[in-house]
Amino acid sequence: MYILGIYNAHNATAAILKDGKVIACVSEERFTNVKNQYGFPKHAIDYCIKAAGIESKDLDLVTIPFKYGAPQHSLRENAKDMKLAAALYVYKIVGVIRSVWGELAYRYPSLMPIGKTSFRIASIAFEKYHMASERKFVAEYLGLPIDKVVTFDHHETHAISSYFTSPFNGQKALVLTLDGEGDFKCATATVFDGKKHKLLASTDREHSLGYIYQKLTEYLGMKKNEHEYKVMGLAPYAKDFDIDKTYKKISDLVTFDQKDQMRFTSKFNTLDTEKFLEREMRRTRFDILAGAFQKLVEEKTVEWVRYCMKKTKMNTVILSGGVFMNVKVNQKIAEMPEVRKLYILPSCGDESTPVGAALLGFIKLKNLAALKNAVIDNIYWGPEFGSEDIEKALKKKGLSKRYLIKKPKDIEKRIAALLARGEIVARMAGRMEFGARALGNRTIMANASNVDVIKKINEQIKGRDFWMPFAPSILWERMSDYVINPKKILSPYMMLGFETTALAHKELIAGLHAYDLTARPQFVTKDGNPKYHKILKEFERLTGIGGILNTSFNLHGFPIVLGPSEALEVFEKSGLKYLALEDFLVEKRKKAH
């Protein structure tokens, strides 16, 4: 049974299941080289179908992780649909009206229920038509009857994707979702027991912690839905005294419903947070704002998790939704004494919802019991490239005259030796990892004991903001040497922050946050990625150090590279000296003086 999941909005992504297990999942940005590519993920869909070895007519179901949603697919691809064009125009007018009303409702919060109700009625009426149009568009593209294209609730797809892919599939667990919004909600609490699941509470979109953080990101001059991680990285630089002083002014922006504290409430519609920032926070320094709002999200999320656990009497917690891309929030949750077991879905923003939608489609056609197969072993779900592809790319660019191209007997040992002597090496090998974080197969590596590599990577390759930390890849068997993890929580996907040890401050210093010395590690096991594990083991043999610096293989502002062509483009445009393409090693020749 083959089921395709499609997320056709911000960071558009497609995923495909075979008999309930993910066999391919990739975001459109990797094919277009446009960061967080918006719209219909044509290339990602085509790849997923090809990876499954089928044709689109063989699909049993196609799923979309929204019941309601704004228009997403490109009018250029559907320009003759005048009804859709008219609907888009109306949608823009509604947006202007909403902006004017937002100003009024911000001044007089008692008006919020009127706007909320009106928005629901208008959205359901308009977006129901839109989703029918969307289903028709998808069905025509794939050559399927429209009844094979179905939609599911956005937050349910978040919850389903995280529970059934987790190692706690089949066990009782509390599943929490938290994001900006989706299908009128921004947070949910659901109980799963392996046979059924029950939604206990949900928070309306107007009271969104995610929107507050997003609006702050914009206010600080960064890109929403992309640079929130930069705000998180900036937050530790502010002094506690200044953070606390500002936090007192914002601590009541979001509180909890007195009748049911599993739900958030807020002083005003959080979509209008920019009005609060402009009027109340104008003369507050940027790092203090980052620190105070980071504290707001941490404190409120922990309080919410604690109450939900107390209410359900559960200590196995599973997290999904864009807010849980914030590893410092996740660290605070992991450190809660009440939390015994914790799982955070890898890259749990909306790019993971097509997985949840496809799993819901599987449940629709089969049953919950059949989803034992859904537990993930790894997330290397993207394309891979063989020697023929690499040789073709090298020949096309005519690089053999400018670069030294070799095929070492043991490429992993060669990479480790280069790292041990202080070189920086980019690596493209195996299937591309899914999601926002590089996990060894599309990675730039360095010796993390040398703090000088930070400046070198930033200036010559990545062009990152000066305050942003790098991250380490650490051998699982050396985990306790470098991080404080008494619960032995697995973190193979860089979804958790950790306090670090004195040894880490010496041997992995370039992979830690420069100010608070926390880390967002990838714990590497032999089963999870044998070849990458071999590089780390060989590096350990040569240096005694059980980890390396790992940063994504891309230029700043661009997606992680897809294959050899994209890897070679970054290689040529940057100061990288060494590039490993599967078994090939490309080295820039020394310039003649």
Side-chain angles (χ1 to χ4, degrees):
M1 181 177 287
Y2 293 96
I3 299 176
L4 179 70
I6 299 173
Y7 175 67
N8 50 353
H10 168 80
N11 200 7
T13 301
I16 193 164
L17 306 183
K18 179 182 179 182
D19 297 329
K21 193 170 186 70
V22 179
I23 56 172
C25 182
V26 64
S27 296
E28 187 73 359
E29 64 171 17
R30 303 299 176 88
F31 299 95
T32 63
N33 205 32
V34 176
K35 184 72 175 173
N36 291 318
Q37 176 71 63
Y38 190 96
F40 186 67
K42 176 184 180 297
H43 299 92
I45 290 169
D46 293 349
Y47 164 71
C48 285
I49 292 171
K50 182 180 178 182
I54 60 171
E55 296 179 12
S56 59
K57 64 181 177 63
D58 299 317
L59 291 168
D60 293 279
L61 204 65
V62 180
T63 60
I64 298 172
F66 277 110
K67 297 293 283 186
Y68 307 100
Q72 310 295 359
H73 66 259
S74 171
L75 278 176
R76 293 174 186 172
E77 296 180 45
N78 207 22
K80 294 180 181 179
D81 189 339
M82 298 307 293
K83 287 183 180 179
L84 183 61
L88 278 165
Y89 186 70
V90 171
Y91 195 82
K92 289 179 181 178
I93 293 173
V94 170
V96 173
I97 295 170
R98 198 262 154 231
S99 179
V100 174
W101 175 263
E103 177 64 36
L104 193 62
Y106 177 78
R107 290 172 181 263
Y108 307 102
S110 59
L111 295 175
M112 195 197 304
I114 300 172
K116 177 179 172 180
T117 303
S118 301
F119 176 81
R120 295 289 191 281
I121 294 169
S123 294
I124 290 170
F126 169 64
E127 292 172 3
K128 188 175 181 181
Y129 161 75
H130 157 64
M131 289 309 296
S133 170
E134 199 79 10
R135 288 174 60 227
K136 181 182 176 185
F137 179 84
V138 171
E140 288 177 352
Y141 178 80
L142 294 169
L144 295 170
I146 196 168
D147 62 359
K148 278 196 171 186
V149 182
V150 297
T151 63
F152 292 104
D153 177 81
H154 183 74
H155 274 264
E156 189 177 15
T157 66
H158 272 310
I160 288 284
S161 61
S162 57
Y163 176 77
F164 285 105
T165 62
S166 80
F168 312 128
N169 180 337
Q171 301 177 27
K172 288 185 178 181
L174 171 64
V175 179
L176 300 172
T177 69
L178 191 60
D179 66 5
E181 72 158 300
D183 285 333
F184 310 132
K185 297 184 287 292
C186 66
T188 64
T190 307
V191 168
F192 283 74
D193 67 5
K195 296 178 181 177
K196 60 184 183 300
H197 60 280
K198 182 181 180 182
L199 176 66
L200 301 180
S202 63
T203 298
D204 292 338
R205 65 192 282 275
E206 289 80 9
H207 312 291
S208 172
L209 267 174
Y211 268 137
I212 288 177
Y213 209 83
Q214 180 199 84
K215 298 295 183 181
L216 175 73
T217 301
E218 277 192 298
Y219 183 71
L220 292 175
M222 300 182 227
K223 294 180 183 177
K224 68 177 183 179
N225 291 326
E226 185 173 332
H227 290 163
E228 282 78 2
Y229 74 99
K230 293 188 179 184
V231 177
M232 178 183 67
L234 178 62
Y237 288 98
K239 291 181 171 60
D240 289 342
F241 173 80
D242 293 324
I243 289 174
D244 291 341
K245 188 176 177 181
T246 300
Y247 180 69
K248 287 178 182 177
K249 299 177 183 178
I250 66 172
S251 62
D252 64 344
L253 291 187
V254 172
T255 51
F256 297 92
D257 191 308
Q258 293 303 307
K259 293 180 181 178
D260 184 356
Q261 293 185 40
M262 297 175 83
R263 295 186 176 94
F264 295 99
T265 187
S266 58
K267 289 181 71 173
F268 49 79
N269 187 334
T270 53
L271 278 88
D272 298 317
T273 300
E274 72 275 5
K275 296 176 175 59
F276 173 82
L277 292 167
E278 289 164 2
R279 294 167 197 185
E280 306 297 332
M281 298 281 117
R282 180 173 290 182
R283 297 190 183 278
T284 306
R285 214 171 74 170
F286 62 97
D287 57 331
I288 299 170
L289 281 173
F293 280 85
Q294 175 67 28
K295 182 174 181 177
L296 176 74
V297 177
E298 289 176 7
E299 295 283 332
K300 299 302 178 181
T301 305
V302 166
E303 190 176 344
W304 177 56
V305 173
R306 180 169 286 120
Y307 184 83
C308 291
M309 292 180 68
K310 183 178 179 181
K311 187 84 171 177
T312 60
K313 295 180 173 59
M314 288 191 172
N315 53 31
T316 296
V317 179
I318 296 172
L319 308 173
S320 186
V323 171
F324 294 120
M325 288 298 288
N326 190 311
V327 298
K328 289 298 190 73
V329 170
N330 298 343
Q331 179 180 344
K332 294 293 183 184
I333 295 169
E335 290 171 351
M336 291 169 61
E338 305 95 318
V339 175
R340 299 277 183 84
K341 298 177 182 178
L342 180 66
Y343 174 78
I344 305 139
L345 180 70
S347 208
C348 60
D350 284 353
E351 64 271 18
S352 63
T353 56
V355 173
L359 289 168
L360 278 166
F362 187 81
I363 293 168
K364 180 181 174 73
L365 298 182
K366 286 276 193 178
N367 55 65
L368 284 174
L371 277 178
K372 288 287 185 184
N373 196 34
V375 179
I376 58 177
D377 306 312
N378 60 64
I379 57 170
Y380 299 105
W381 292 336
E384 61 182 332
F385 301 86
S387 295
E388 189 176 324
D389 300 307
I390 294 166
E391 287 172 349
K392 185 178 178 181
L394 289 167
K395 186 176 181 181
K396 184 179 180 180
K397 289 186 174 286
L399 301 180
S400 58
K401 294 180 181 178
R402 286 184 287 144
Y403 302 145
L404 295 172
I405 300 171
K406 298 178 180 178
K407 208 169 183 182
K409 185 177 180 181
D410 191 323
I411 187 71
E412 286 79 30
K413 282 191 174 184
R414 179 70 177 128
I415 292 170
L418 289 169
L419 296 174
R421 77 179 197 203
E423 302 289 355
I424 297 167
V425 184
R427 180 176 188 254
M428 187 229 81
R431 293 188 69 179
M432 181 178 67
E433 49 270 78
F434 159 72
R437 287 157 190 164
L439 301 172
N441 284 5
R442 303 293 186 276
T443 282
I444 294 171
M445 302 166 287
N447 185 337
S449 68
N450 179 9
V451 75
D452 293 338
V453 300
I454 295 173
K455 187 175 181 181
K456 193 172 182 181
I457 294 173
N458 275 336
E459 291 185 354
Q460 297 183 16
I461 304 163
K462 299 281 288 187
R464 287 159 55 105
D465 297 297
F466 67 89
W467 69 83
M468 288 306 298
F470 290 105
S473 289
I474 299 172
L475 290 166
W476 170 250
E477 53 269 34
R478 295 289 305 276
M479 178 270 294
S480 59
D481 290 336
Y482 298 117
V483 303
I484 312 300
N485 184 14
K487 297 177 185 177
K488 300 291 188 291
I489 295 172
L490 295 172
S491 186
Y493 309 118
M494 290 190 168
M495 293 300 294
L496 260 175
F498 292 90
E499 300 296 329
T500 56
T501 66
L503 185 63
H505 304 167
K506 178 184 177 184
E507 295 186 348
L508 299 180
I509 187 63
L512 309 183
H513 192 288
Y515 196 82
D516 67 9
L517 298 177
T518 56
R520 185 201 67 196
Q522 173 197 8
F523 297 139
V524 182
T525 64
K526 189 173 182 180
D527 290 340
N529 191 330
K531 291 185 177 180
Y532 193 48
H533 183 269
K534 183 179 177 181
I535 292 172
L536 269 67
K537 285 299 286 185
E538 181 64 17
F539 179 77
E540 180 191 38
R541 187 185 70 80
L542 294 171
T543 65
I545 300 171
I548 61 172
L549 181 150
N550 163 21
T551 187
S552 55
F553 188 2
N554 63 300
L555 297 174
H556 185 64
F558 290 88
I560 296 172
V561 300
L562 175 74
S565 294
E566 294 79 10
L568 286 164
E569 185 175 351
V570 172
F571 183 65
E572 291 200 89
K573 289 181 177 179
S574 70
L576 277 167
K577 184 180 178 182
Y578 292 97
L579 168 61
L581 297 171
E582 290 289 354
D583 295 329
F584 292 84
L585 184 65
V586 184
E587 179 186 353
K588 287 176 180 170
R589 299 175 188 270
K590 292 181 181 179
K591 293 181 180 179
H593 294 286

